[in-house]
């Protein structure tokens, strides 16, 4: 099968310490906004939070939205199980994120930016405040009128969903809104807002510094650039790695596995489980016209070796979802509970094994009718685990 | 004015009295009081001129905004997949044994509470836990006992 993948290739942009951010900021702020947007568009950078919306287009739409007040928001509510890259970015290279926020503000015409940091990372606040202060001082120097505020979450995974995040910032329960309208026209305080993941903003810094072509030349068609991967589970070398997009899962496992990898969960609890027999035909990147299966991910890669029970894995994910569902819509609120209780009932023999098929149908309903990505994505891990490891669900 | 009212007033002064300032105020009360009492929520509602049901509804949405009295130190052990694969249960047992409490309980002297939480973002260094805002990773039962000892007997300088 002709399969357009790279062998695993490492990259080293994000954590490279650049001590010239002031120069980059100054230089970029002198370009016309249009030019900056075009540069981003031609890099083909897509959102690194997992959804994969083209970043340049997001900035363009917000820039074009008519409004007096606009906002740039950095989504640092990293909560997907198995993901820890954004914390590392904010710890090691926060100025890259701040620089990109300032450029975004200039492009869209915002005066205020926000970082929404998950409560679990509260210990980062003092260092971040220091970085912001230093940064604002420099913005002042170059006469760029821009302030950054810090908002702290309080232990709610759903607040990583962009509209739930706005609700939370507005002092309410973090319940996702209906979409459309999208944040580019109606975001924080009903104003057009760019909301970008921490990693996405760190990549835009790379593009401002090295140019779009440098970024575009990494990765494969439809999945350009590099990406941070949070690697955990049964691996001798857990950690954070920057890799080019488009590698096959087999190459990934060859590099990070312990020689006994039976499955990899790509994209965390809301992602997909890939069993060993499909490693070769699975590529890591956004959905495109690659032959074979192409799996997007926010970066979470969890490896499981043959000592692990996939039933326990699924049980753990479902417990997570039933606790983190915001409860606003029935398919998700009730669905998560039913799935959680359902697999337990099958395991205990209280329900026939055909009950698993009913549960699979239920996940299909959730996918179609749940209001936001949380409820819709439960089907991903559920069906990929149940279909590939059905016997482990029963015995 | 009693201390809770004082606290709420000063938090409202620092953050502002608009709806968007509610979360920082709730967080500020939890930090000082270790939880949101019914009384505190009603006082916040009064101070911000919000219906108290709105304050309660918002507060109870967030798992870190406790509305039961917590100890001075709240221990939250991660129970998500990697930590659970790497020995979260042994960690919990070690803590329960040392503090003589079960999951969800507080020590009688009000010093510690023990809870579980979802992924803390340290899966590559699992198992992990938070004690208030501080992160501890790559835990073993021995390591956990050492850590807790420091909290039980503060080191003298
Ligand atoms: S799908 Fe789940 S998390 Fe999303 S709005 Fe519905 S109940 Fe809330
Ligand atoms: S699973 Fe425990 S920190 Fe992520």
């Amino acid at each position: 099968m002709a399969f357009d993948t790279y062998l695993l290739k490492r990259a080293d942009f994000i954590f490279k310490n650049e001590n010239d951010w002031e120069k980059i900021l100054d230089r970029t702020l002198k370009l016309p906004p249009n030019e900056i947007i075009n540069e981003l568009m031609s890099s083909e950078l897509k959102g690194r939070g997992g959804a994969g919306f083209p970043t340049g287009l997001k900035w363009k739409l917000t820039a074009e939205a008519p409004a007096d007040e606009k906002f740039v928001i950095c989504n640092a509510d990293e909560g997907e199980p198995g993901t820890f890259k954004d914390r590392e970015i904010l710890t090691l290279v926060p100025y890259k994120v701040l620089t990109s926020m300032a450029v975004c503000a200039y492009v869209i015409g915002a005066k205020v930016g926000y970082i929404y940091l998950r409560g679990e990372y509260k210990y980062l606040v003092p260092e971040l405040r220091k970085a912001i202060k230093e940064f604002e001082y420099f913005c002042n120097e170059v006469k760029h009128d821009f302030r950054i505020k810090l908002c702290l979450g309080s232990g709610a995974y759903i607040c990583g969903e962009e509209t739930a995040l706005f609700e939370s910032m507005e002092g309410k329960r973090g319940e996702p809104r209906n979409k459309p309208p999208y944040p580019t026209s109606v975001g924080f305080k009903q104003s057009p807002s760019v909301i970008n993941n921490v990693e996405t903003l760190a990549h835009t810094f790379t593009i401002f510094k090295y140019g779009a072509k440098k970024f575009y030349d990494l990765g494969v068609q439809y999945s350009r650039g590099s990406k941070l991967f949070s690697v955990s589970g049964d691996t001798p070398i857990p950690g954070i790695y920057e890799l080019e997009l488009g590698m096959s899962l087999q190459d990934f496992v060859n590099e990070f596995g312990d020689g006994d990898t039976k499955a990899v969960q790509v994209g965390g609890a809301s992602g997909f489980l890939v069993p060993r027999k499909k490693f070769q035909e699975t590529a890591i990147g956004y959905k495109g016209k690659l032959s074979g299966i192409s799996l997007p991910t926010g970066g979470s890669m969890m490896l499981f070796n043959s000592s692990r029970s996939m039933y326990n894995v699924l049980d753990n994910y479902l417990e997570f979802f039933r606790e983190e569902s915001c409860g606003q819509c029935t398919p998700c609120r009730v669905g998560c509970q039913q799935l959680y209780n359902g697999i337990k009932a099958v395991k205990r023999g209280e329900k026939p094994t055909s009950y698993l098929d009913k549960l699979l149908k239920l996940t299909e309903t959730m996918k179609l009718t749940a209001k936001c990505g949380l409820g819709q994505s439960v089907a991903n891990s559920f069906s990929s685990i149940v279909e590939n490891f059905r016997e482990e669900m029963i015995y | 004015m009693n201390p809770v009212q004082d606290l709420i007033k000063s938090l409202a002064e620092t953050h502002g009295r608009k709806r968007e300032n509610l979360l920082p105020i709730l967080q500020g009360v939890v930090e000082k009081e270790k939880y949101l009492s019914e009384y505190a929520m009603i006082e916040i509602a009064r101070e911000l001129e919000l219906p108290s049901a709105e304050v309660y509804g918002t507060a109870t949405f967030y798992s870190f905004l406790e509305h039961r009295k917590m100890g001075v130190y709240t221990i939250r052990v991660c129970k998500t997949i990697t930590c659970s694969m790497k020995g979260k249960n042994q960690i919990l047992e070690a803590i329960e044994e040392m503090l003589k409490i079960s999951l969800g309980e507080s020590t009688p002297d009000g010093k510690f509470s023990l809870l579980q939480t979802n992924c803390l973002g340290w899966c590559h260094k699992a198992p992990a836990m938070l004690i208030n805002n501080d992160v501890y990773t790559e835990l073993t039962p021995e390591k956990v006992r050492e850590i807790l000892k420091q909290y039980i007997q503060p080191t003298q300088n």
Side-chain angles (χ1 to χ4, degrees):
Chain A
M1 181 171 56
F3 196 39
D4 186 17
T5 55
Y6 278 122
L7 283 176
L8 186 122
K9 281 190 194 164
R10 289 178 191 255
D12 178 27
F13 287 101
I14 297 266
F15 294 121
K16 189 152 150 211
N17 206 0
E18 320 265 9
N19 43 25
D20 55 353
W21 61 266
E22 287 150 324
K23 210 177 84 204
I24 309 291
L25 178 61
D26 196 24
R27 189 179 77 197
T28 316
L29 290 178
K30 290 197 173 97
L31 300 171
N34 257 342
E35 215 167 285
I36 299 174
I37 288 174
N38 287 341
E39 193 74 4
L40 280 184
M41 301 256 259
S42 61
S43 75
E44 291 189 14
L45 168 64
K46 293 179 182 168
R48 283 342 193 203
F53 191 79
T55 306
L57 184 58
K58 192 180 265 186
W59 289 26
K60 186 175 148 83
L61 291 172
T62 313
E64 286 167 355
D68 297 334
E69 202 177 32
K70 297 182 188 178
F71 299 104
V72 44
I73 290 148
C74 167
N75 185 346
D77 192 52
E78 168 175 71
E80 187 62 49
T83 316
F84 33 88
K85 64 192 171 72
D86 292 346
R87 174 178 48 72
E88 202 76 352
I89 295 174
L90 290 174
T91 307
L92 296 176
V93 288
Y95 60 87
K96 291 194 182 179
V97 177
L98 304 179
T99 302
S100 294
M101 287 177 75
V103 172
C104 180
Y106 163 68
V107 168
I108 64 172
K111 301 239 171 306
V112 189
Y114 291 85
I115 299 177
Y116 186 96
L117 184 73
R118 68 188 304 225
E120 288 83 343
Y121 294 169
K122 187 172 175 191
Y123 77 100
L124 277 176
V125 168
E127 280 299 306
L128 263 181
R129 280 207 202 288
K130 242 189 2 215
I132 290 172
K133 211 163 158 201
E134 188 193 346
F135 184 80
E136 284 182 337
Y137 180 79
F138 182 75
C139 282
N140 222 6
E141 296 260 286
V142 296
K143 307 239 171 327
H144 179 37
D145 178 15
F146 181 55
R147 320 259 322 146
I148 297 176
K149 296 185 185 169
L150 205 54
C151 292
L152 200 63
S154 260
Y157 167 74
I158 189 59
C159 290
E161 198 279 340
E162 49 192 21
T163 60
L165 189 147
F166 298 146
E167 292 288 304
S168 179
M169 281 172 63
E170 291 172 11
K172 304 178 201 143
R173 297 164 71 91
E175 291 175 345
R177 302 172 182 167
N178 286 324
K179 286 201 268 188
Y182 294 98
T184 50
S185 51
V186 182
F188 177 50
K189 293 206 238 178
Q190 308 298 310
S191 301
S193 309
V194 161
I195 174 161
N196 279 146
N197 169 262
V198 173
E199 186 189 344
T200 312
L201 290 164
H203 284 294
T204 62
F205 182 92
T206 304
I207 295 165
F208 301 145
K209 170 151 185 179
Y210 296 100
K213 179 153 190 326
K214 189 97 177 176
F215 185 87
Y216 180 89
D217 285 345
L218 307 174
V220 294
Q221 205 186 4
Y222 306 112
S223 296
R224 295 290 174 188
S226 59
K227 159 110 200 63
L228 292 184
F229 290 92
S230 309
V231 182
S232 67
D234 294 314
T235 164
I237 44 169
I240 300 162
Y241 300 88
E242 185 174 346
L243 307 170
E244 290 188 32
L245 283 173
M247 77 266 189
S248 82
L249 195 51
Q250 185 64 60
D251 285 326
F252 177 86
V253 170
N254 292 347
E255 180 81 12
F256 295 100
D258 61 0
D260 184 27
T261 308
K262 96 168 165 189
V264 180
Q265 179 80 13
V266 179
S270 61
F272 296 85
L273 181 106
V274 186
R276 186 184 287 146
K277 61 175 188 289
K278 291 186 187 152
F279 287 169
Q280 196 59 51
E281 64 194 82
T282 305
I284 305 303
Y286 301 96
K287 289 243 160 9
K289 298 197 176 76
L290 294 168
S291 47
I293 312 159
S294 165
L295 285 187
T297 167
S300 166
M301 304 290 276
M302 285 185 263
L303 295 96
F304 301 108
N305 69 19
S306 57
S307 74
R308 304 297 173 188
S309 147
M310 294 318 293
Y311 171 83
N312 287 346
V313 173
L314 181 58
D315 180 74
N316 193 288
Y317 289 168
L318 290 173
E319 182 174 346
F320 173 81
F321 283 127
R322 96 188 162 123
E323 283 178 8
E324 298 293 350
S325 164
C326 85
Q328 192 185 176
C329 64
T330 318
C332 170
R333 183 185 61 243
V334 180
C336 289
Q337 298 284 0
Q338 290 296 329
L339 296 173
Y340 179 76
N341 295 330
I343 62 162
K344 286 191 170 3
V346 171
K347 192 77 173 179
R348 285 195 297 255
E350 289 160 11
K351 293 270 183 200
T353 58
S354 61
Y355 192 65
L356 287 174
D357 301 313
K358 289 211 172 122
L359 296 176
L360 282 168
K361 275 224 180 79
L362 173 59
T363 62
E364 283 312 306
T365 308
M366 290 168 68
K367 201 182 203 161
L368 291 171
T369 57
K371 180 167 171 177
C372 85
L374 188 150
Q376 292 158 8
S377 66
V378 176
N380 300 346
S381 50
F382 189 90
S383 55
S384 55
I385 293 176
V386 169
E387 277 159 13
N388 289 302
F389 293 95
R390 196 180 169 100
E391 65 299 342
E392 290 191 27
M393 301 301 121
I394 301 165
Y395 304 110
Chain B
M1 272 203 304
N2 63 43
V4 177
Q5 278 177 321
D6 276 343
L7 173 64
I8 291 168
K9 255 224 155 48
S10 83
L11 284 166
E13 238 118 71
T14 341
H15 296 288
R17 288 183 167 78
K18 291 206 221 106
R19 177 73 194 248
E20 63 188 80
N21 307 117
L22 177 58
L23 231 56
I25 292 172
L26 292 170
Q27 288 163 343
V29 172
V30 172
E31 182 153 344
K32 270 260 154 47
E33 292 284 299
K34 299 299 158 194
Y35 80 123
L36 288 158
S37 62
E38 215 173 282
Y39 175 72
M41 287 193 262
I42 292 169
E43 280 305 308
I44 294 171
R46 203 195 308 277
E47 191 67 40
L48 268 55
E49 291 179 23
L50 285 170
S52 43
E54 289 276 313
V55 173
Y56 179 81
T58 306
T60 50
F61 183 82
Y62 297 90
S63 67
F64 282 15
L65 298 178
E66 297 295 343
H67 43 284
R68 272 185 313 139
K69 180 121 180 121
M70 288 289 125
V72 180
Y73 299 108
T74 300
I75 307 172
R76 295 173 203 268
V77 178
C78 173
K79 62 168 176 174
T80 310
I81 188 70
T82 315
C83 291
S84 132
M85 277 161 57
K86 308 270 167 174
K88 172 267 299 187
N89 282 340
Q90 287 89 296
I91 303 305
L92 273 182
E93 275 162 29
I95 301 174
E96 288 177 332
E97 196 180 300
M98 192 157 171
L99 300 179
K100 311 254 176 308
I101 52 171
S102 307
L103 195 58
E105 293 177 351
S106 301
T107 51
D109 63 357
K111 194 152 180 192
F112 295 97
S113 301
L114 178 60
L115 300 174
Q116 295 196 97
T117 189
N118 282 324
C119 187
L120 292 171
W122 289 93
C123 331
H124 56 326
K125 297 193 172 159
M129 68 174 180
L130 280 179
I131 300 185
N132 289 352
N133 303 321
D134 295 324
V135 188
Y136 296 92
T137 59
E138 293 177 315
L139 298 172
T140 59
E142 299 78 64
K143 204 167 155 187
V144 147
R145 281 190 281 268
E146 282 309 306
I147 294 165
L148 285 185
K149 252 188 228 151
Q150 292 168 21
Y151 280 86
I152 291 169
Q153 307 154 325
T155 40
Q156 333 255 285
N157 357 308

